[in-house]
Amino acid sequence: MAKPISIEVWNPSGKYRVVSTKSMPGTRWIKLLTDNDCRLEICTEKKTILSVDDILALIGDHCHGVIGQLTEDWGEVLFSALKRAGGTAFSNMAVGYNNVDVDAANRNGIAIGNTPGVLTETTAELAASLSVAAARRIVEADQFMRAGLYDGWLPHLFVGNLLKGQTVGVIGAGRIGSAYARMMIEGFKMNLIYFDLYQSTRLEKFVTAYGQFLKANGEQPVTWKRASSMEEVLREADVISLHPVLDKTTYHLINPERLAMMKKEAVLVNASRGPVIDEVALVEHLRANPMFRVGLDVFEDEPYMKPGLAEMKNAVVVPHIASASKWTREGMATLAALNVLGKIKGYPVWGNPNAVEPFLDEKAAPPPACPSIVNAKQLGNCYIPA
């Protein structure tokens, strides 16, 4: 017999049973479900990460859809259980879905939702914040001050790196990488070097136009360069921010050899996925190069850090908070709920999962569509224009 799981129930008489494995920010997502005849059960267990057995108990023998989290292991066991319970939809409250076996979902006819389009600026802001914090040694200085060690201004006290006029490197110039680049270029008048398999024409035009603006006002114009290889970015940039997808080609993208290519006083930032960095190698590099600095929002074995990383004063580490603005997290909850609701209602899939503003307008009813279903084509779902 499965262990009982504590839950909070909304709209007990609802026709469709939807489970959320975590309480999520805001209330709009709850209202959207309950107003559409859903009985919503929100797990209130104190565990940070639910086990497969925990989620099986939540699904039970009758469940139409589940809203889950990136920390959960969604594979054949859970998808087959959801299918047996009459379910057709699962949505991550995340843009990523590395925790999901999409093939298993396809075999069981389960639509997989995610929440792109709402995290771009928030994630880019966090990457920019880490860049500044690491470059200017803000966390070190804060700890020094709180410890009562400050007894007066000194010429060498917490000397860091100037960003203005330096080169920012971006690996992966998609939506988030490009937004980050624009922030660093316009905010600190940095030059850009980027590597991506696809040319970022829009980003290049932005840098060119901003450079012309600066020149017209008597300032040094900023420049851009599309690198022919990732290694070129690592060698030339003063600040490097990682924004690739995580797959077998990007696992340990940053390894001992590539760390050695970087400048001794470079700043490396990762707000994408933890395993793109070989964290053991990073700790060794930080230890051997005290002027090299990192800002990390994600880690190889979350929620854990590799031994030694926590002791590195030249590392700024935060607990996976890139999307943690109120507007973004509430928007993610809304989109995840609408993915599940849309599948239950038989709605088509929105044509552009990055154009999600109509779903987030609290003054209007959302479109009758699933905002983003990653396996829509495999399941034969139809699309509507965004």
Side-chain angles (χ1 to χ4, degrees):
M1 169 100 47
K3 174 188 172 185
I5 298 291
S6 60
I7 58 171
E8 176 184 10
V9 180
W10 293 76
N11 192 30
S13 61
K15 178 180 178 182
Y16 308 104
R17 182 172 179 262
V18 174
V19 169
S20 178
T21 64
K22 283 282 184 292
S23 175
M24 299 190 296
T27 58
R28 184 170 180 247
W29 69 278
I30 296 173
K31 190 173 190 307
L32 286 167
L33 290 169
T34 55
D35 283 356
N36 282 276
D37 207 12
C38 291
R39 172 191 168 100
L40 173 62
E41 298 185 9
I42 303 173
C43 178
T44 56
E45 290 286 318
K46 299 302 183 183
K47 295 180 181 180
T48 302
I49 300 174
L50 297 184
S51 68
V52 169
D53 286 341
D54 292 332
I55 300 172
L56 285 172
L58 284 171
I59 292 171
D61 57 9
H62 177 67
C63 181
H64 293 90
V66 178
I67 303 167
Q69 304 297 321
L70 189 65
T71 53
E72 299 159 4
D73 183 13
W74 279 82
E76 180 65 36
V77 172
L78 291 180
F79 286 126
S80 60
L82 184 55
K83 180 182 179 180
R84 288 193 301 272
T88 57
F90 164 79
S91 185
N92 258 354
M93 184 197 158
V95 63
Y97 48 97
N98 303 106
N99 60 314
V100 175
D101 184 340
V102 178
D103 290 337
N106 292 339
R107 286 193 297 271
N108 288 281
I110 306 295
I112 302 303
N114 69 335
T115 62
V118 71
L119 300 94
T120 300
E121 299 297 324
T122 303
T123 302
E125 285 180 4
L126 192 279
S129 300
L130 288 172
S131 301
V132 177
R136 295 302 304 270
R137 304 176 65 179
I138 290 172
V139 174
E140 287 181 82
D142 176 88
Q143 293 172 342
F144 180 87
M145 193 75 185
R146 291 174 190 274
L149 300 175
Y150 179 60
D151 57 8
W153 185 89
L154 289 170
H156 294 289
L157 189 63
F158 294 110
V159 172
N161 298 3
L162 178 71
L163 296 176
K164 181 179 183 295
Q166 302 301 303
T167 298
V168 60
V170 174
I171 295 174
R175 294 181 306 278
I176 296 171
S178 291
Y180 165 83
R182 292 193 301 271
M183 291 175 187
M184 300 303 290
I185 292 160
E186 192 170 18
F188 300 101
K189 299 174 184 174
M190 300 184 78
N191 300 307
L192 170 69
I193 181 170
Y194 80 92
F195 175 74
D196 197 293
L197 297 178
Y198 302 97
Q199 184 175 8
S200 184
T201 305
R202 186 177 179 184
L203 177 59
E204 292 172 1
K205 288 180 178 178
F206 170 85
V207 182
T208 298
Y210 186 54
Q212 292 169 346
F213 168 80
L214 291 174
K215 186 175 181 180
N217 285 274
E219 297 188 63
Q220 181 70 26
V222 293
T223 63
W224 64 266
K225 176 182 180 182
R226 183 186 178 194
S228 59
S229 68
M230 187 182 70
E231 288 77 11
E232 188 177 358
V233 175
L234 297 177
R235 285 192 293 265
E236 295 187 16
D238 301 288
V239 178
I240 298 111
S241 191
L242 305 175
H243 299 279
V245 297
L246 176 61
D247 57 28
K248 62 182 180 181
T249 68
T250 59
Y251 176 79
H252 282 187
L253 196 70
I254 302 300
N255 54 30
E257 294 74 26
R258 286 174 172 150
L259 285 165
M261 295 176 186
M262 299 173 67
K263 295 179 180 180
K264 295 295 185 184
E265 296 185 3
V267 174
L268 177 65
V269 172
N270 187 19
S272 60
R273 290 289 180 262
V276 303
I277 295 180
D278 179 343
E279 211 167 288
V280 171
L282 178 64
V283 172
E284 291 305 312
H285 192 77
L286 288 167
R287 188 174 287 122
N289 298 276
M291 296 306 292
F292 184 93
R293 301 186 184 95
V294 295
L296 303 174
D297 179 55
V298 288
F299 305 89
E300 191 170 351
D301 297 318
E302 289 188 25
Y304 308 106
M305 292 187 287
K306 293 294 187 184
L309 182 58
E311 288 74 51
M312 294 294 103
K313 291 184 177 181
N314 45 345
V316 178
V317 291
V318 296
H320 205 148
I321 58 170
S323 65
S325 71
K326 182 177 183 292
W327 181 84
T328 295
R329 289 282 173 89
E330 290 185 2
M332 291 167 69
T334 294
L335 293 173
L338 289 174
N339 281 328
V340 171
L341 178 64
K343 185 63 179 176
I344 290 172
K345 293 285 191 177
Y347 293 157
V349 179
W350 193 241
N352 183 352
N354 295 304
V356 295
E357 291 81 5
F359 295 97
L360 303 178
D361 183 358
E362 296 190 13
K363 297 179 181 179
C370 302
S372 177
I373 301 295
V374 300
N375 60 340
K377 290 181 180 179
Q378 292 95 322
L379 297 181
N381 295 122
C382 62
Y383 291 81
I384 62 170

